[in-house]
C-alpha cells in the first residue's frame, strides 16, 4: 500500500490552567492510497486534534506530516491550497456543519469557487457529485432545512468529494445519525471510495462503526496510539489491554472472541496529569510493577501490527 499520508512523531501541546499538556503525543501512522484507516478512542483521547493537525487546521508542535511526499507542516499558501483540494473533511453534525442560509448548490460549490473554477464547470461538478451521493441534482436549489439528517450528511460528503480529493477525513461523520442511516452513509462512503480510489481517515468513538469500514485501525489513549493493526487481526485478537476492553464493551460481541465479561473500569485520566509509567496502568487488569514506572514504547508486533504495551496479548477480557 503506497504511503499517501505519512505522520511521524506528531505532537500537540496545549496549556490549560497554567499546565502544559500533550493532547497528541508522538503519534506515527500512515494511510495508503485507497485505504481506510480507522482511528478509535474515548472522547478526549486526541483523535480530533490529530485530524485537525493533518488538515492544517491546528498547528503541530513537533513531528512531520507528509502527503504524497509533500511536507504539510511547512506548506506555504500556494501549496496549502493544493493540499486543501486533495484533503477534504466531513464533520460530525450534519445539522450545524451546513450553513442554513445557503442553498445546497452554493454549499457544495464553495470549495470549487475557492479554487477559481468557472461557473459552467462548477454547475456540472455539483450535479455530478449530487448524483454520486444519491441526491437528485434538482434538489440543489433547496436549503439544508428541507433535508433529513442522512441527506444532510450526503450533502456534506458531496461537498467533500467536489474538488476531487485523494483523502477524506471523516470526523465522527455518522455519530449523529440513527443506526439504519449510519449504515447507508457508510455504504455511500465505501462506494465512493471504490469508484474514486479515495483514502479515508475515519475517526470515531464507536468501535463497531470503525470495524465496518476500516482496513486498518489505530486505537488512541491519552493522546497516543496504543495499537495499530489490520482490522481483522485487531478484532480477532487484540494485543493491547485497552483494545481488548473496548471490544468487550461493544454490545453483542462475537462469542467466538471468548470474552469473559471484563469491563473497562474508571474514567479517562485528565491529560493534564497523566499517570506515570504506562498511562493506562490505573485501568489495566494486567498491570504489573514495571507498568507503574516505565512507559512502554510503540513496538512492532507480529506482521503489520504495532502495540504500546510491556505485556501485549496477556489480557483475557
Ligand atoms: Fe497494561 Fe502494563 Fe500494558 Fe500498560 S504496559 S497496558 S499497564 S500491561
Amino acid at each position: 500500500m503506497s504511503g499517501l499520508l505519512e505522520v511521524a512523531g506528531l505532537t500537540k501541546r496545549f496549556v490549560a490552567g497554567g499546565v502544559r499538556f500533550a493532547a497528541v503525543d508522538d503519534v506515527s501512522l500512515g494511510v495508503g492510497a485507497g485505504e481506510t484507516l480507522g482511528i478509535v478512542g474515548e472522547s478526549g483521547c486526541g483523535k480530533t486534534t490529530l485530524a485537525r493537525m493533518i488538515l492544517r487546521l491546528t498547528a503541530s508542535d513537533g513531528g512531520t506530516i507528509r502527503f504524497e511526499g509533500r511536507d504539510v507542516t511547512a506548506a506555504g499558501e500556494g501549496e496549502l491550497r493544493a493540499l486543501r483540494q486533495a484533503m477534504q473533511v466531513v464533520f460530525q453534525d450534519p445539522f450545524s456543519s451546513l450553513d442554513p442560509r445557503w442553498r445546497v448548490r452554493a454549499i457544495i460549490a464553495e470549495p470549487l469557487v475557492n479554487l477559481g473554477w468557472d461557473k459552467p464547470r462548477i454547475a456540472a461538478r455539483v450535479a455530478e457529485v449530487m448524483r454520486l451521493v444519491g441526491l437528485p441534482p434538482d434538489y440543489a436549489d433547496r436549503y439544508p432545512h428541507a433535508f433529513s439528517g442522512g441527506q444532510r450528511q450526503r450533502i456534506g460528503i458531496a461537498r467533500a468529494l467536489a474538488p476531487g480529493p485523494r483523502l477524506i477525513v471523516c470526523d465522527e461523520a455518522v455519530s449523529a445519525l440513527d443506526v439504519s442511516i449510519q449504515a447507508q452513509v457508510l455504504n455511500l462512503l465505501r462506494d465512493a471510495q471504490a469508484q474514486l480510489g479515495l483514502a479515508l481517515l475515519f475517526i470515531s468513538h464507536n468501535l463497531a462503526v470503525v470495524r465496518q469500514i476500516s482496513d486498518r485501525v489505530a486505537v488512541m489513549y491519552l493522546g497516543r496510539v496504543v495499537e495499530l493493526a489490520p482490522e481483522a487481526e485487531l478484532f480477532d485478537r487484540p494485543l493491547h489491554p485497552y483494545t481488548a476492553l473496548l471490544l468487550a464493551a461493544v454490545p453483542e460481541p462475537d462469542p467466538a472472541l471468548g470474552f469473559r465479561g471484563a469491563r473497562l473500569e474508571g474514567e479517562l485520566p485528565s491529560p493534564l496529569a497523566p499517570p506515570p509509567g504506562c498511562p493506562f496502568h490505573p485501568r489495566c487488569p494486567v498491570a504489573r510493577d514495571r507498568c507503574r514506572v516505565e512507559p512502554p514504547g510503540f513496538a512492532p508486533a507480529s506482521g503489520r501490527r504495532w502495540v504500546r504495551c510491556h505485556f501485549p496479548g496477556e489480557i483475557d477480557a
Side-chain angles (χ1 to χ4, degrees), residues 39-123:
I39 298 187
V40 71
E42 291 165 281
S43 175
C45 71
K47 52 194 190 305
T48 291
T49 303
L50 172 65
R52 290 183 61 84
M53 282 192 285
I54 290 169
L55 292 161
R56 270 279 300 260
L57 298 172
T58 295
S60 56
D61 291 328
T64 56
I65 306 166
R66 290 194 168 274
F67 184 79
E68 296 177 331
R70 284 174 291 178
D71 185 345
V72 173
T73 47
E77 264 317 303
E79 222 176 346
L80 205 52
R81 210 165 116 118
L83 280 167
R84 294 237 156 97
Q85 179 175 5
M87 286 197 278
Q88 291 288 311
V89 61
V90 176
F91 293 107
Q92 172 174 4
D93 188 350
F95 294 91
S96 65
S97 61
L98 305 180
D99 191 324
R101 298 162 303 175
W102 285 26
R103 294 180 197 274
V104 165
R105 181 189 312 285
I107 291 170
I108 297 174
E110 190 188 21
L112 308 179
V113 172
N114 293 340
L115 288 168
W117 287 26
D118 62 35
K119 283 185 178 170
R121 192 176 169 205
I122 289 176

Side-chain angles (χ1 to χ4, degrees), residues 101-307:
R101 298 162 303 175
W102 285 26
R103 294 180 197 274
V104 165
R105 181 189 312 285
I107 291 170
I108 297 174
E110 190 188 21
L112 308 179
V113 172
N114 293 340
L115 288 168
W117 287 26
D118 62 35
K119 283 185 178 170
R121 192 176 169 205
I122 289 176
R125 184 62 176 160
V126 168
E128 186 183 5
V129 291
M130 286 189 73
R131 275 188 221 101
L132 200 64
V133 301
L135 291 172
D138 56 351
Y139 284 10
D141 283 324
R142 301 182 182 183
Y143 290 93
H145 66 77
F147 295 88
S148 67
Q151 286 175 320
R152 287 186 209 195
Q153 202 53 305
R154 284 172 191 266
I155 296 167
I157 293 167
R159 178 188 157 97
L161 291 173
R166 268 91 73 201
L167 172 75
I168 295 186
V169 176
C170 301
D171 188 4
E172 299 280 6
V174 299
S175 301
L177 306 174
D178 292 343
V179 173
S180 62
I181 309 295
Q182 273 185 1
Q184 290 173 17
V185 173
L186 290 174
N187 284 338
L188 165 64
L189 283 168
R190 250 195 307 252
D191 290 349
Q193 179 176 38
Q195 209 170 323
L196 306 170
L198 277 173
L200 300 178
L201 189 63
F202 192 91
I203 294 168
S204 178
H205 68 283
N206 187 329
L207 209 53
V209 166
V210 164
R211 181 175 202 178
Q212 285 178 57
I213 196 159
S214 303
D215 299 307
R216 289 184 304 133
V217 177
V219 180
M220 286 189 73
Y221 187 79
L222 276 185
R224 296 187 149 198
V225 175
V226 296
E227 184 160 7
L228 177 63
E231 173 272 323
E233 293 176 37
L234 186 109
F235 284 87
D236 285 351
R237 186 171 168 263
L239 293 181
H240 196 282
Y242 179 57
T243 313
L245 292 169
L246 278 182
L247 274 170
V250 173
E252 299 175 33
D254 182 348
L257 296 177
F259 294 131
R260 296 194 313 202
R263 289 289 174 262
L264 186 59
E265 308 279 354
E267 298 290 315
L268 189 68
S270 167
L272 274 62
C278 172
F280 187 61
H281 85 254
R283 304 171 82 185
C284 181
V286 293
R288 302 181 199 169
D289 289 347
R290 180 184 173 193
C291 305
R292 292 177 242 285
V293 291
E294 186 186 331
F298 195 44
S302 57
R304 295 165 66 210
R305 307 188 70 166
W306 288 71
V307 64

